[in-house]
Amino acid sequence: MARLDRVKNLTGLVELYGKNPRLQELVNLVVVCGDHGNPSKDKEEQAEFKKMFDLIEQYNLNGHVRWISAQMNRVRNAELYRYICDTKGAFVQPAFYEAFGLTVIEAMTCGLPTFATAYGGPAEIIVNGVSGYHIDPYQGDKASALLVEFFEKCQVDPSHWTKISQGGLQRIEEYTWKLYSERLMTLTGVYGFWKYVSNLERRETRRYLEMLYALKYRTMASTVPLAVEGDSASK
């Protein structure tokens, strides 16, 4: 449930699903994005539309994939989450990067076991293996294998689905209030300090930015994988 642009990687989700026959045996795939009735003027979205149709045809996914236009009605979205939850499904957020992850919060709030990108906000929201699962969008084969493992385990032991569902609900209760407020207060403090240093001389401001980069962002940037040549998910 996202925009149909490259960074959201919805076509990557369809591709990893199409490449895994066992996953197709276990579950169907519902994708919510784009607008079928209103052709996009954005070239990137046009390319993703074409790629989506091509993948569905290439892997013969008719009957396995339901592609629904993006929904603007919040009540309808909530009902869709609940329907998938009632049928013991799961939610997958495969973005190459997600700053926060509102749909992850929504899905977990509805009790859906959630698989989400390991790059960005969802990695902080989900405790891997307890309240959901982290997936690497650059490694579609491993992501699909993790989904297969989950659904096969749920077939053998239905309580496993409930365990992850309950873990997600508990995590959201903790995250959306206590942890979120703590991080908000931290950001407020950082913003206040930034307003202070922004009034200093340019040389001092530059030193502050270099310190922030060296202590925080250089380490974060080093964890982001480079695109692997030949990996279809990174093209």
Side-chain angles (χ1 to χ4, degrees), residues 2 8 11 52 68 79 82 92 100 175 190 195 226 231:
K8 293 297 185 181
T11 51
M52 186 80 83
I68 303 173
E79 287 299 316
R82 284 304 311 165
V92 184
F100 178 65
Y175 183 84
V190 171
K195 288 208 66 173
L226 299 176
D231 185 348

Side-chain angles (χ1 to χ4, degrees), residues 110-123:
C110 291
L112 266 173
T114 300
F115 296 72
T117 180
Y119 303 115

